Amino acid sequence: MVLQVKNLSKIYLGKINYTALERIEFNLKKGEFVGVMGPSGSGKTTLLNCVSTIDEPSTGEVLVNGKNPHKLGEEELSKFRRSELGFVFQDFNLVNTLTVKENIILPLVLDNIGLEIIEERLNKISKLLGIKEILNKRTFEISGGQAQRIAIARALIHNPSLLLADEPTGNLDTKAAKDVMKIFTAINEELNTSILMVTHDPYIASFCNRVIFIKDGNLYNEIHKGDNKSIFYKKIIDMLSFLGGNIDDI
């Protein structure tokens, strides 16, 4: 298993303690593409933050390739994040003073990887994502859809075991969002990269192999794609409707 989440709870302490997650358990196999959905405030992002080590679980364990990153020291944790995890967020978080190429290879430069390996990986990932022709452009010269491709390329350049995505299409129009999801599918199928993605959009979730639903901090249900994407999409919508709330806010 690439990811094992065991009995995970997260409680925020204050005047009134707030339980964001309660005894969450699931596994993610090598090469799986899993979506996380649920109503607003259900704990989706908290779960992703605990997996990504941004947040510390109150109880339970997160294991990535059998190792618990929350038990590592600061230096070891930084190294672990760079080697095992890739991050793609709604905001592209690109460095405006760098070119597209410099943004993508930044993680490898920081790790003092040799130029030959950098060029080899850059060539492979830019070809897969269809961005070779914009490598020398500045970030202000590219579209939102291209910017998200750059962010994905940067997240993948070091061959992470697990790619974590939080609303990766949230700032994109319909066409750009569809293009980005086709890229996620290609990454998943061609590179066999394991992906855990939080989304509120049932269409975006329909690109996954499996969708986990969270409600009030609890693991509520999960559904698998099977062979028919249209049926899977309808099941996702039905489940979101069943969970309640305005579907646009879910």
Side-chain angles (χ1 to χ4, degrees):
M1 294 291 174
V2 169
L3 174 66
Q4 294 169 277
V5 176
K6 299 182 175 184
N7 201 32
L8 181 72
S9 296
K10 177 63 183 178
I11 301 165
Y12 291 101
L13 303 176
K15 287 183 180 178
I16 299 174
N17 294 344
Y18 172 64
T19 302
L21 295 173
E22 192 169 7
R23 297 191 294 274
I24 299 287
E25 292 217 10
F26 71 94
N27 296 326
L28 194 153
K29 296 175 186 172
K30 173 71 178 167
E32 253 197 311
F33 186 178
V34 177
V36 180
M37 303 191 82
S40 227
S42 60
K44 305 184 296 291
T45 297
T46 302
L47 173 61
L48 203 69
N49 286 347
C50 286
V51 171
S52 68
T53 72
I54 291 170
D55 248 342
E56 188 80 23
S58 301
T59 60
E61 282 188 318
V62 172
L63 302 177
V64 179
N65 289 324
K67 186 178 279 190
N68 187 341
H70 293 283
K71 291 187 174 178
L72 300 176
E74 199 173 318
E75 196 175 316
E76 279 182 297
L77 180 57
S78 294
K79 191 177 177 184
F80 179 88
R81 278 179 179 155
R82 289 200 304 269
S83 62
E84 299 287 354
L85 303 175
F87 303 94
V88 179
F89 300 104
Q90 185 172 332
D91 298 318
F92 315 126
N93 295 329
L94 300 179
V95 183
N96 294 329
T97 53
L98 302 180
T99 64
V100 165
K101 176 182 176 178
E102 289 165 345
N103 266 281
I104 295 170
I105 67 173
L106 186 59
L108 300 185
V109 172
L110 293 173
D111 271 352
N112 296 313
I113 302 296
L115 190 59
E116 196 175 314
I117 293 173
I118 288 177
E119 289 296 337
E120 184 186 315
R121 290 194 188 174
L122 177 66
N123 185 54
K124 182 180 179 182
I125 205 71
S126 59
K127 194 175 177 182
L128 178 65
L129 271 61
I131 52 174
K132 284 180 82 73
E133 73 283 355
I134 61 169
L135 289 177
N136 293 318
K137 289 191 174 185
R138 297 279 173 179
T139 54
F140 59 81
E141 298 177 293
I142 61 177
S143 68
Q146 287 173 325
Q148 191 58 296
R149 289 184 187 217
I150 306 316
I152 293 167
R154 183 184 56 194
L156 290 171
I157 195 78
H158 61 286
N159 299 327
S161 301
L162 179 62
L163 183 64
L164 302 168
D166 191 4
E167 300 285 2
T169 60
N171 281 336
L172 304 177
D173 61 37
T174 304
K175 185 190 179 301
K178 189 175 181 180
D179 289 344
V180 164
M181 291 319 298
K182 284 180 178 176
I183 287 168
F184 269 88
T185 302
I187 290 163
N188 178 239
E189 292 175 355
E190 293 180 34
L191 302 181
N192 203 32
T193 302
S194 308
I195 304 171
L196 184 67
M197 176 183 72
V198 165
T199 181
H200 72 279
D201 188 325
Y203 173 71
I204 297 303
S206 72
F207 283 85
C208 301
N209 309 129
R210 173 167 57 112
V211 178
I212 292 168
F213 295 89
I214 296 178
K215 184 179 183 182
D216 300 327
N218 292 277
L219 189 59
Y220 186 80
N221 203 346
E222 65 174 58
I223 55 176
H224 296 253
K225 180 183 275 184
D227 297 325
N228 192 311
K229 187 177 176 182
S230 298
I231 292 173
F232 185 49
Y233 174 62
K234 187 177 183 307
K235 283 182 178 178
I236 292 169
I237 290 176
D238 289 346
M239 181 57 66
L240 291 175
S241 300
F242 187 73
L243 286 173
N246 184 339
I247 200 162
D248 293 328
D249 298 330
I250 286 173

